[in-house]
Amino acid sequence: MNLNKDQLRDNIHSIQNAIAQMATKHHRQSDQICLLAVSKKKPAEQIRIAFDLGQKAFGENYLQEALDKQQQLLDLDIDWHFIGPIQSNKTRDISANFSWVHSVDRVKIAKRLNDQRPAHLPPLNICLQVNIDNEPSKSGIAPEKIMELTESIMALPRLKLRGLMAIPAPKESFEEQFKTFKRVHDIMKKTPEMDTLSMGMSGDMDAAIAAGSTMVRVGTAIFGSRKSSSKV
Ligand SMILES: *Cc1c(COP(=O)(O)O)cnc(C)c1O
């Protein structure tokens, strides 16, 4: 299902309003919270309309799909963020075609992104994905291993370590969500070089903003459901 310009405008405005209200409630500046529009499985035309409405940062999970859309949108100055799992044979294209990667969880991948970052581009912005609830099946590094990975990445000149990304296990209450996000925040604070917390989605944005999120990742609430899409 594709949305028209009015629908996309309404959706983006409601989310921005929600972010502004949550920021005020939690004594944050709303301009310190970036809205990342997650456009996976949505066509390039939808991204183009959202961009024309002022949305500049887009998140993609699947490399080939993202490269295809980037080709169609070369005329736009989009800030592309890679937020999906990374296989080592994909690092070259990720490093050359994105300005941010949120899902780095091992040094091997970081080294490849560093070595493959084209010389004409600025250093690639990196967030470490933290498996904050220690879920066995989930991507992300265990919290106790973050310091070591942080140190390795800070030694890589073509990467700029920006912060942490987390996708916590679903929680019942604001309080539980907040406690988890606060743990991510506290880990981030141990590294003064970090300034970014990529955390919060539609269902837990309020708690994420309360705990210091600087980037919320929203897909469905902007572009509508992905269910009718052929690719899964
Ligand atoms: C898909 C995705 C989102 C957005 O999810 P929605 O439910 O569509 O808002 C956010 N973060 C990550 C890492 C994702 O893969």
Side-chain angles (χ1 to χ4, degrees):
M1 175 189 59
N2 290 336
L3 303 186
N4 65 34
K5 189 163 189 168
D6 288 337
Q7 292 169 316
L8 281 172
R9 183 190 288 110
D10 286 350
N11 288 349
I12 292 171
H13 283 179
S14 348
I15 293 158
Q16 277 168 344
N17 286 338
I19 292 172
Q21 282 174 17
M22 292 168 186
T24 304
K25 182 167 64 163
H26 301 301
H27 312 289
R28 305 270 322 275
Q29 305 281 352
S30 61
D31 63 3
Q32 285 168 11
I33 303 157
C34 169
L35 173 59
L36 182 65
V38 178
S39 45
K40 62 184 175 210
K41 299 187 205 161
K42 293 294 170 181
E45 253 339 286
Q46 293 279 282
I47 298 177
R48 182 177 293 280
I49 299 172
F51 182 89
D52 287 343
L53 291 166
Q55 177 64 36
K56 303 295 180 220
F58 292 85
E60 290 281 342
N61 295 58
Y62 309 106
L63 179 63
Q64 192 52 54
E65 179 198 325
L67 295 177
D68 291 345
K69 288 188 266 186
Q70 288 174 346
Q71 277 306 310
Q72 300 174 58
L73 299 167
L74 285 175
D75 54 315
L76 306 182
D77 189 19
I78 290 179
D79 204 7
W80 291 104
H81 294 234
F82 192 82
I83 62 174
I86 308 173
Q87 297 151 282
S88 26
N89 64 347
K90 303 286 169 64
T91 52
R92 183 174 301 280
D93 281 330
I94 292 173
S95 199
N97 293 286
F98 289 81
S99 52
W100 285 75
V101 179
H102 292 225
S103 39
V104 172
D105 61 4
R106 49 200 205 276
V107 69
K108 178 187 172 189
I109 295 293
K111 282 188 174 141
R112 291 176 64 94
L113 292 169
N114 176 76
D115 297 347
Q116 295 167 339
R117 181 69 170 168
H120 69 279
L121 295 176
L124 181 61
N125 295 298
I126 298 292
C127 291
L128 307 182
Q129 183 171 351
V130 189
N131 185 354
I132 193 66
D133 289 313
N134 285 307
E135 295 172 274
S137 61
K138 233 184 205 154
S139 336
I141 185 166
E144 63 273 16
K145 294 188 178 150
I146 289 172
M147 261 309 164
E148 195 184 332
L149 183 58
T150 295
E151 282 164 20
S152 310
I153 291 184
M154 288 203 301
L156 299 171
R158 301 295 294 140
L159 303 184
K160 185 166 169 55
L161 183 61
R162 297 298 298 271
L164 303 176
M165 186 270 255
I167 311 172
K171 308 271 159 45
E172 295 288 318
S173 67
F174 175 93
E175 272 312 315
E176 287 173 279
Q177 293 173 347
F178 177 79
K179 266 192 226 161
T180 309
F181 286 131
K182 185 69 167 48
R183 285 193 286 128
V184 185
H185 169 270
D186 292 347
I187 298 169
M188 197 264 295
K189 282 292 163 196
K190 290 184 192 162
T191 304
E193 287 82 357
M194 292 185 180
D195 62 5
T196 301
L197 282 176
S198 167
M199 56 189 202
M201 299 166 56
S202 313
D204 55 14
M205 198 186 284
D206 193 26
I209 289 173
S213 169
T214 66
M215 214 182 278
V216 294
R217 306 180 311 269
V218 179
T220 312
I222 296 177
F223 296 107
S225 148
R226 292 180 293 268
K227 268 192 223 119
S228 57
S229 167
S230 56
K231 271 188 269 175
V232 174

